Amino acid sequence: WIYIHDFPSCGMSVRVPGKTTGRIHHLLSRNEEYYFYILDADPDVTDIREQFPLRLTETIEIARRMNIRHPWKGSFPFVMTTDFLITKADGIHARTVKCSGELDSPRVVEKFSIESRYWSDKGVDWKIVTERQIDRELALNLQWLDSGDKPESLIPDTETREALKHGVLGMVDDRGLLPTNCITVLEKRFPVPPGSAISIYKSLVLDGSLAPNLRQKLFF
């Protein structure tokens, strides 16, 4: 419902390709981005819909019943949205992402009351997610693993690519990490373009060949 170009560029917003959905997701805050990476890596998640619009007639009626002023934009009632509508094996989950400090605002709480009642009336699980519930280190690691060139683009030759994979696997430590001093050694041995060893390492983590603790810093 909302795209990042709908708002002036005065804050953080980003387009992120989703592996789960195969489409570009429009995220309006850093916390939304971090939370998205975690959702996108969750094998139980089958669909992610961001900035999901709530039916205007229903939110207006809920606000009237609760004696709360409905959000307006100029002369028109504003269409409220939920940051993420998530489909999992056990059903639909609605999540709103907000900085914990903003929850002290009475007006923010009023709007969340409307949103909460909207999803409750539909039997959908709704919760607020703040930075306190988001594992930032996990999100940053997932973001890093998805970044950069893929091995196929850096190393077109299949045999060289496979050889480098074996080289990387032979040099990771018992935590599943590739020591920094091994990167240049590997790239000179084969030889391959700079960044190839890291790209191969990322691919091995993503395909499950390596299983480092993603809740600890992977940047080495």
Side-chain angles (χ1 to χ4, degrees):
W1 180 256
I2 296 174
Y3 297 92
I4 63 173
H5 54 257
D6 292 335
F7 294 94
S9 182
C10 58
M12 182 273 162
S13 58
V14 64
R15 298 179 180 92
V16 178
K19 298 191 297 292
T20 301
T21 64
R23 69 174 179 82
I24 299 297
H25 294 262
H26 291 243
L27 309 171
L28 305 181
S29 72
R30 185 67 70 191
N31 284 336
E32 281 189 23
E33 183 185 11
Y34 290 158
Y35 190 56
F36 172 80
Y37 280 113
I38 294 171
L39 291 176
D40 202 32
D42 187 339
D44 292 333
V45 173
T46 58
D47 194 17
I48 305 168
R49 288 172 282 178
E50 77 278 15
Q51 323 309 335
F52 189 86
L54 312 188
R55 193 177 295 276
L56 184 59
T57 54
E58 294 183 29
T59 57
I60 289 175
E61 175 58 21
I62 290 169
R64 187 195 64 77
R65 294 200 315 260
M66 299 181 73
N67 196 28
I68 294 173
R69 180 169 55 89
H70 190 280
W72 282 67
K73 185 176 183 179
S75 303
F76 300 95
F78 187 78
V79 175
M80 299 179 65
T81 59
T82 290
D83 294 327
F84 292 101
L85 197 63
I86 307 151
T87 305
K88 302 179 73 170
D90 62 352
I92 303 292
H93 303 263
R95 295 291 182 268
T96 289
V97 179
K98 205 73 171 174
C99 291
S100 57
E102 296 182 68
L103 301 182
D104 294 330
S105 166
R107 181 57 182 156
V108 168
V109 172
E110 283 184 345
K111 288 188 284 188
F112 282 166
S113 297
I114 298 171
E115 190 177 353
S116 175
R117 181 65 61 85
Y118 181 93
W119 290 116
S120 176
D121 288 349
K122 297 181 182 302
V124 173
D125 170 54
W126 176 85
K127 288 184 175 66
I128 298 171
V129 177
T130 74
E131 73 280 0
R132 296 171 182 171
Q133 286 80 48
I134 297 172
D135 189 327
R136 185 173 179 271
E137 202 64 65
L138 173 60
L140 288 172
N141 283 332
L142 293 170
Q143 181 185 43
W144 180 73
L145 288 169
D146 274 340
S147 67
D149 295 319
K150 303 304 178 187
E152 294 77 13
S153 63
L154 289 169
I155 317 166
D157 182 68
T158 303
E159 290 186 6
T160 303
R161 202 163 57 241
E162 289 301 312
L164 183 55
K165 282 185 180 180
H166 289 295
V168 170
L169 287 169
M171 287 193 169
V172 293
D173 61 23
D174 56 2
R175 299 170 298 167
L177 300 178
L178 182 64
T180 305
N181 57 4
C182 295
I183 296 172
T184 303
V185 173
L186 285 166
E187 292 178 349
K188 286 183 177 179
R189 180 189 299 174
F190 286 95
V192 289
S196 296
I198 289 294
S199 180
I200 289 289
Y201 175 78
K202 290 178 180 179
S203 72
L204 291 168
V205 175
L206 289 171
D207 71 14
S209 299
L210 293 173
N213 182 358
L214 296 182
R215 298 183 185 277
Q216 295 182 3
K217 192 171 184 178
L218 281 186
F219 310 120
F220 41 85

